[in-house]
Amino acid sequence: MLMIPGPTPVPEQVLLAMAKHPMGHRSGEFSALMAEVTEKLKWLHQTQNDVLILAASGTGAMEAGIINFLRRGDRVLVGNNGKFGERWGKLARTYGLAVQEITAEWGQPLHPEDFKAALEADIDKQIKAVIVTHSETSTGVLNDLETINRHVKAHGDALIIVDAVTSLGACSVPVDEWGLDVVASGSQKGYMIPPGLAFVSVSEKAWSAYATADLPRFYLDLGPYRKDGAKHTTPFTPPVNLFFALQAALTMMQAEGLGAIFERHDRQRRATRAAITALNLPLFGGDAWASPAITAVMPDQVDAEQVRSVMKKRFDIALAGGQDHLKGKIFRIGHLGFVCDRDILTAIAALEATLQHLGYGPYTPGAGVSAAGQILLA
Ligand SMILES: *Cc1c(COP(=O)(O)O)cnc(C)c1O
């Protein structure tokens, strides 16, 4: 049972769809499939922009988001309050961009005011892009993309490039309404399919920047993906079976509805947090900026790695650990994608048994399940 923020659980319908024999990717059949999934992706992104499909992990979409729209030496603002924000900085520096980081402590959200100040100070419009990780998976923090983006729009020139890898399909990312220029995501997160596909949505404004961008690119050059995409085909051999999976998963998502999907993630986030609090375990990060995809816990009277180990060995439930300086200090419960309310109750009940087994004292057995149940059934 995967309760990590990717790879996430995959529904049986999706697994069965993948078990088909692959089809030729230059066939009419594949073009029909490509047309269908592209329309459905636009629905998920709430956009009329191009949404392009890459055979890559999420980082491939991040890299495509940089190299297609910027020029060597361009100044970019990068929000960094965790492992993935840090990765964006590394990636941008690799391509010779002049990176100015806007940082916040891990577990804290980025402060929109910091972006406002940096953007207002940029009178000669040297900042070409602002890069924000919406849901910072390493800490369970949901950054205030809407407000940060408002400051980017006030600046006028800079592109807004968004890592929506663990927010897309978990909470609303209204690409057109907010005017998000580039949005990156990956299949093993909110999409309910295995790793291997990455997605990038691209606005008209970003395509204008593409025309003058000069960073080296070949496999991840989005131009050919757009041109071939218009004819419902791909520049290179796509992972055809993952497209079957994508079709099945997006069909399930449409049947559930965007509003219901976001409500479910919000409910499970609240239930998980209420249960953790009821067990007297300290949450890592406040309720006001809690990610709908993942809850980080920083236990002080029980060892985080022991909790993960017992959960895995005795209950076959995989929880995520901490990264870098948080290694061994936090554990993270994923509730992203194909997760039902029963999964949350199961994980919390198993956690209670684990705590008891490890001799953790300060809680009342049943308190976590009770707190989660009250929210799930409210
Ligand atoms: C998972 C993830 C990525 C992409 O990671 P890959 O391992 O390349 O798929 C990027 N950003 C965030 C916030 C993520 O959670």
Side-chain angles (χ1 to χ4, degrees):
M1 185 178 183
L2 290 171
M3 300 215 55
I4 57 174
T8 60
V10 180
E12 196 172 341
Q13 291 100 300
V14 175
L15 292 170
L16 288 173
M18 285 181 70
K20 280 187 293 201
H21 199 279
M23 55 169 71
H25 63 290
R26 301 296 179 212
S27 64
E29 263 178 303
F30 183 78
S31 291
L33 169 59
M34 174 99 180
E36 181 187 335
V37 296
T38 301
E39 273 317 301
K40 287 179 154 82
L41 285 170
K42 289 182 181 186
W43 165 82
L44 178 64
H45 286 72
Q46 306 178 58
T47 191
Q48 295 304 315
N49 289 343
D50 290 304
V51 182
L52 307 172
I53 310 170
L54 310 170
S57 83
T59 306
M62 294 166 66
E63 185 151 339
I66 296 273
I67 62 180
N68 284 280
F69 309 110
L70 294 163
R71 296 172 62 82
R72 181 168 290 274
D74 273 355
R75 251 184 89 192
V76 293
L77 284 189
V78 177
N80 175 0
N81 59 335
K83 192 77 186 161
F84 290 100
E86 186 182 275
R87 182 178 297 179
W88 277 102
K90 283 186 189 161
L91 173 47
R93 277 188 210 97
T94 300
Y95 282 99
L97 301 180
V99 174
Q100 180 184 347
E101 290 197 349
I102 304 278
T103 58
E105 229 175 277
W106 288 33
Q108 295 293 312
L110 295 167
H111 301 295
E113 290 300 309
D114 296 345
F115 287 86
K116 182 170 189 263
L119 287 161
E120 281 181 355
D122 180 37
I123 348 167
D124 49 355
K125 309 287 182 195
Q126 291 300 302
I127 297 173
K128 299 303 177 193
V130 176
I131 303 171
V132 178
T133 303
H134 191 191
S135 165
E136 180 43 84
T137 316
S138 62
T139 59
V141 167
L142 188 72
N143 286 310
D144 184 359
L145 174 63
E146 186 176 9
T147 306
I148 295 169
N149 180 54
R150 225 179 286 130
H151 299 315
V152 179
K153 294 302 172 209
H155 177 274
D157 280 23
L159 295 172
I160 175 85
I161 299 177
V162 178
D163 177 337
V165 180
T166 55
S167 61
L168 198 81
C171 60
S172 190
V173 184
V175 172
D176 284 358
E177 190 190 322
W178 290 357
L180 305 175
D181 294 304
V182 178
V183 177
S185 60
S187 59
Q188 80 278 26
K189 306 289 175 91
Y191 287 89
M192 315 191 289
I193 70 180
L197 291 178
F199 310 90
V200 199
S201 83
V202 182
S203 72
E204 280 309 319
K205 181 174 172 179
W207 283 123
S208 304
Y210 172 87
T212 56
D214 68 354
L215 298 173
R217 59 187 190 220
F218 184 78
Y219 182 69
L220 294 176
D221 182 344
L222 294 179
Y225 288 88
R226 179 190 213 192
K227 192 159 153 282
D228 291 358
K231 294 176 284 175
H232 309 307
T233 183
T234 56
F236 311 110
T237 311
V240 172
N241 291 52
L242 285 173
F243 276 66
F244 296 152
L246 180 63
Q247 179 186 35
L250 289 170
T251 301
M252 282 180 70
M253 289 172 95
Q254 287 193 324
E256 185 175 359
L258 275 186
I261 292 170
F262 302 153
E263 206 278 322
R264 170 166 58 82
H265 282 84
D266 179 61
R267 178 172 74 240
Q268 295 180 355
R269 170 186 66 139
R270 287 183 291 113
T272 304
R273 298 180 73 83
I276 295 300
T277 303
L279 295 172
N280 284 318
L281 289 168
L283 287 161
F284 183 67
D287 283 340
W289 55 84
S291 167
I294 182 142
T295 297
V297 183
M298 192 175 230
D300 50 4
Q301 296 182 52
V302 63
D303 184 82
E305 287 303 298
Q306 277 188 345
V307 169
R308 291 209 310 129
S309 168
V310 174
M311 289 286 279
K312 181 72 181 64
K313 286 202 186 106
R314 305 304 299 271
F315 300 113
D316 199 23
I317 297 176
L319 302 180
Q323 291 164 293
D324 290 353
H325 65 275
L326 292 178
K327 203 170 170 54
K329 299 213 170 73
I330 64 169
F331 64 85
R332 296 173 296 148
I333 304 171
H335 31 81
L336 174 61
F338 186 58
V339 177
C340 70
D341 292 352
R342 184 185 62 225
D343 297 331
I344 300 293
L345 287 177
T346 302
I348 296 301
L351 177 62
E352 288 201 12
T354 299
L355 293 172
Q356 192 166 47
H357 175 72
L358 293 174
Y360 171 77
Y363 81 110
T364 312
V369 171
S370 165
Q374 276 179 42
I375 287 177
L376 296 173
L377 294 174

